[in-house]
Amino acid sequence: MSYSASKTLPYKVELYRQLKRKRTAFAYAFVLSLPVLVAIAVKFGPSGNSGGPTRLGSGTTDLIGLATIGAANFTTTMLYFATPFLLVTVIALFNGDTVASEASWSTLRYLLASPVPRTRLLIQKMKVSLTLSAIAVLIMPISAWIVGTIAFGTKPLQTPLGATFTNSVALSRIAIMTGYLAISLLFVAGLAFYLSVRTDAPLGAVGVAVGISILLNILDAITALGSIREWLPVHYAFSWFDALATTIDWSVMIRGASFCFISGTILYALAINRFAHKDITS
């Protein structure tokens, strides 16, 4: 049987390897736990009136106050909660751990000796990491909708912008928000993947990627930076909020998605270039 580089390290094999890992199960469990824990806290926690105007489900016209109206509102609020840290951490884990973990286990050089071409190895790793990341992003709204339906029913979506949508329209808007969120996380994914190629310490790659994301969020909150903030990838993290308007203004979402897609692609390209010239010793 002749050797064919295109048949080495099949996508399904690598996907199966990563799905079997405990970190994958734990990561998905964390994503699933957010809507469950929030729903339990709201349904069975103390219901005093001392929570202030932004108390979850208080009925105020902000996103958090409207959270318990129904499944659609609950799902939207869970996306809001998950955007700045939870999904960032999970996506950084899937992308920052993928190559560095092989190096830390001293299996990377054996994979290359199989022989699996370097570029193919990295592309297969990238495809699997993005697949796992996409699954994590999808789990959030799906699980939130199911939990929200059980806990709060299926009333129409009421938005802080004054619009009310039927469940069919709400589902389409949530799909838009989820799709945008997935694209906006490409920057973090690309950054973590690049760091995974640069180091043999998986937690180091994941931690630095999350740390940089937090730092950029802090910088984005400094209004004194003015228009400089528009060049920060995290500046567009919540642009999906525009999908809650009666008429969607696509301009900011298109700009944010383009910026994150381009920056993520550049980081993935840098990772491939770095790996192609890296001296593999582990």
Side-chain angles (χ1 to χ4, degrees):
M1 185 176 180
S2 60
Y3 167 76
S4 175
S6 62
K7 294 182 180 180
T8 58
L9 193 62
Y11 169 79
K12 291 182 179 179
V13 172
E14 178 61 18
L15 180 61
Y16 179 69
R17 288 181 67 226
Q18 298 303 322
L19 285 173
K20 285 198 308 179
R21 295 182 59 188
K22 290 183 179 179
R23 64 97 156 126
T24 304
F26 284 138
Y28 288 150
F30 279 127
V31 176
L32 284 167
S33 68
L34 177 62
V36 174
L37 292 176
V38 172
I40 291 174
V42 173
K43 294 291 287 186
F44 303 106
S47 56
N49 295 321
S50 59
T54 58
R55 183 169 60 87
L56 189 70
S58 62
T60 54
T61 56
D62 58 8
L63 195 62
I64 298 176
L66 298 171
T68 58
I69 288 178
N73 278 88
F74 185 73
T75 301
T76 304
T77 305
M78 291 306 99
L79 288 175
Y80 176 76
F81 285 166
T83 296
F85 186 73
L86 178 60
L87 286 178
V88 167
T89 304
V90 171
I91 270 58
L93 175 64
F94 286 143
N95 288 271
D97 175 78
T98 182
V99 178
S101 61
E102 298 283 1
S104 68
W105 299 333
S106 298
T107 56
L108 189 56
R109 56 183 172 181
Y110 296 109
L111 279 173
L112 294 173
S114 297
V116 182
R118 290 193 178 204
T119 301
R120 177 169 176 80
L121 172 66
L122 214 59
I123 289 177
Q124 295 298 85
K125 289 281 188 183
M126 179 182 68
K127 287 163 61 177
V128 170
S129 298
L130 289 174
T131 299
L132 296 176
S133 300
I135 293 173
V137 174
L138 287 173
I139 285 176
M140 175 53 66
I142 292 173
S143 61
W145 185 279
I146 294 172
V147 172
T149 298
I150 296 172
F152 310 113
T154 56
K155 293 181 181 178
L157 172 65
Q158 296 183 30
T159 78
L161 303 178
T164 300
F165 301 121
T166 62
N167 281 327
S168 59
V169 176
L171 284 171
S172 66
R173 296 302 178 95
I174 290 172
I176 292 171
M177 292 186 288
T178 304
Y180 175 82
L181 181 57
I183 296 174
S184 70
L185 288 168
L186 283 176
F187 166 73
V188 174
L191 175 62
F193 194 80
Y194 174 72
L195 293 170
S196 182
V197 171
R198 298 279 305 188
T199 181
D200 294 347
L203 291 180
V206 175
V208 171
V210 173
I212 290 176
S213 178
I214 293 173
L215 177 61
L216 292 176
N217 274 293
I218 293 173
L219 292 175
D220 186 53
I222 302 175
T223 56
L225 292 177
S227 60
I228 295 177
R229 296 185 301 159
E230 297 179 7
W231 292 94
L232 302 176
V234 298
H235 180 72
Y236 303 97
F238 290 98
S239 295
W240 55 262
F241 199 80
D242 290 343
L244 295 175
T246 304
T247 302
I248 301 177
D249 180 3
W250 294 96
S251 58
V252 178
M253 281 199 288
I254 290 174
R255 184 163 63 249
S258 301
F259 193 84
C260 293
F261 179 82
I262 292 172
S263 59
T265 301
I266 291 173
L267 287 165
Y268 276 116
L270 289 173
I272 293 174
N273 180 69
R274 168 66 180 175
F275 192 70
H277 301 90
K278 184 179 180 179
D279 184 17
I280 306 298
T281 58
S282 55

